[in-house]
Amino acid sequence: MKEQKQKRSNKSAKPAGVKKKPRSTGIASSNKTSSDSNRLSAKLKSLLPDLEALYKDIHSHPELSMQETRTAGIAAKRLKAAGYEVTSGIGKTGVVGLLRNGDGPTVMLRADMDALPVKEATGLAYASSVTARDSEGNIVPVMHACGHDMHVTWLVGAATLMAKEGGPWRGTLMAVFQPAEETAQGAQAMIDDNLFKRFPKPDVVLGQHVMVGPAGAIGGRTGVITSAADSFQIRMFGRGAHGSMPQASIDPVVMAAATVLRLQTIVSREIAPNDAAVVTIGSLQAGTKENVIPDEAVIKLNVRTYDEGVRKRVLAAIKRIVNAEAEASGAPKPPEITALDRYSLVSNDADATRRVADAFRERFSGDHVLEVKPTSASEDFGSFGAEWGAPSVFWFIGGTDRNLYAKAKAAGKVQEIPTNHNPRFAPVIHPTLATGVETLLVSANAWLSPDASSG
Ligand code: ZN
Ligand code: ZN
């Protein structure tokens, strides 16, 4: 809670301990947007215990991608109670809440809801012990190992406060709870379910993600913020034979091994040193027994890029190499390349990012708002803005205990802090929870406040 107070003070605020009158001090009196935010932030304090309980409840009831019915039900119920027009079941479990408050811009706030097939090892009192049946029929442990439980809670908090306070903001607030971010299906499923026809086009699409970083720190940038990701399965065909008779075979093991090595030369030999790309072969499977040459080999690989031109080049190189290696081996037929999933590049619109960053800097003290490098993680958040033709902004919020982070940094061991998707990933609730609600309020008000410039 100590950090939370520190975090709340805006950059011109008086030293800690001075009694403050939020509506009449410094920036607040000279800027309406800021005064609206101050008022909402004060209300947030009283809502915080409820949100903390909600976060713990969602954390201990995680749901796999496209199975988020309980979480979606909670989101819908909360939105309805706050007076939103609610539509459920969009793209299977997606929820959209609309709150109209006169003429003005439309702001879309997005949270993803799904958890991962990971066995929780945080040891938290509210840890998950849930198991569920995955899309392939296997029973798997389930954990909110990416922090989407925090995202849902943030959006519930911000939506509640914007509704309760009604207040001077004008326009339409659109709260979107999306399924299946982790499988790159959710945003597209909502879009395919006519999201764009059923709801007003937003003037801006805003989203945020909890990550390793000092709790309460906000990291963002103009331009590319998360990488594009492409995954493929490649089946390479040979001809099986007795292990003692290689002359009768076309050995897919050798074919696949040569392919894997040659694929490594894409990044090292075909991509410029100041461009970045990742080609990871995460799976290579062939054969069952030492004295049987199998019929085929299956490779699964994952590609990350930050530039569409580089992406096209890498994908073309993969296709070229895979086909050429098959041919070099005398494969009876060309390899079968199947796309598994795809995440587009998430790129922050320059003008909208500036507006969000200005609002954050005004609201939070300077050392809490950081410019960060793009992450190699990927997101399907970008689909909304890109396909709707609306500017979008995505940023990160640190969720690591500040002391722990500082110690790890001093020791050069930041990479040892459990990241998203790790069984021990455990964001600290304070001030992470309050910060994420505030950032949504502050950024939405940068468009919806009567004093926010239009366009
Ligand atoms: Zn994730
Ligand atoms: Zn995530």
Side-chain angles (χ1 to χ4, degrees), residues 236-239 246-260 293 295 297 321-335:
M236 305 195 85
F237 303 102
R239 183 167 64 230
Q247 75 283 7
S249 78
I250 293 171
D251 190 341
V253 175
V254 175
M255 193 191 303
T259 304
V260 168
I293 297 170
D295 258 340
I321 289 169
V322 166
N323 279 299
E325 285 293 347
E327 209 179 320
S329 295
K333 56 177 176 173

Side-chain angles (χ1 to χ4, degrees), residues 39-60:
R39 189 173 43 76
L40 288 172
S41 297
K43 295 283 175 190
L44 165 60
K45 219 175 201 172
S46 59
L47 188 65
L48 218 46
D50 171 45
L51 292 179
E52 182 174 339
L54 176 67
Y55 170 72
K56 288 176 175 170
D57 175 60
I58 297 174
H59 186 88
S60 57

Side-chain angles (χ1 to χ4, degrees), residues 87-100:
T87 313
S88 294
I90 305 165
K92 198 162 180 200
T93 63
V95 177
V96 176
L98 280 181
L99 190 64
R100 301 177 208 266

Side-chain angles (χ1 to χ4, degrees), residues 116 145-146 148 181-182 209 378 420-421:
L116 285 157
C146 201
H148 299 183
E181 187 282 327
E182 295 292 355
H209 205 300
S378 303
N420 303 57
H421 293 204

Side-chain angles (χ1 to χ4, degrees), residues 230-234 301 311 315 336-342:
D230 293 88
S231 297
F232 298 96
Q233 175 181 287
I234 297 164
L301 60 84
R311 174 178 173 266
L315 299 194
E336 207 178 83
I337 304 177
T338 314
L340 295 177
D341 60 37
R342 176 182 174 192

Side-chain angles (χ1 to χ4, degrees), residues 66-131:
M66 285 298 176
Q67 301 182 18
E68 311 90 338
T69 47
R70 181 181 185 273
T71 314
I74 292 171
K77 199 173 152 195
R78 292 278 188 146
L79 288 173
K80 260 179 213 152
Y84 284 69
E85 264 169 56
V86 179
T87 313
S88 294
I90 305 165
K92 198 162 180 200
T93 63
V95 177
V96 176
L98 280 181
L99 190 64
R100 301 177 208 266
N101 201 22
D103 291 337
T106 297
V107 174
M108 170 175 154
L109 303 178
R110 173 271 205 178
D112 40 11
M113 302 186 285
D114 54 330
L116 285 157
V118 170
K119 188 166 171 49
E120 180 155 0
T122 59
L124 292 167
Y126 51 93
S128 157
S129 54
V130 168
T131 57

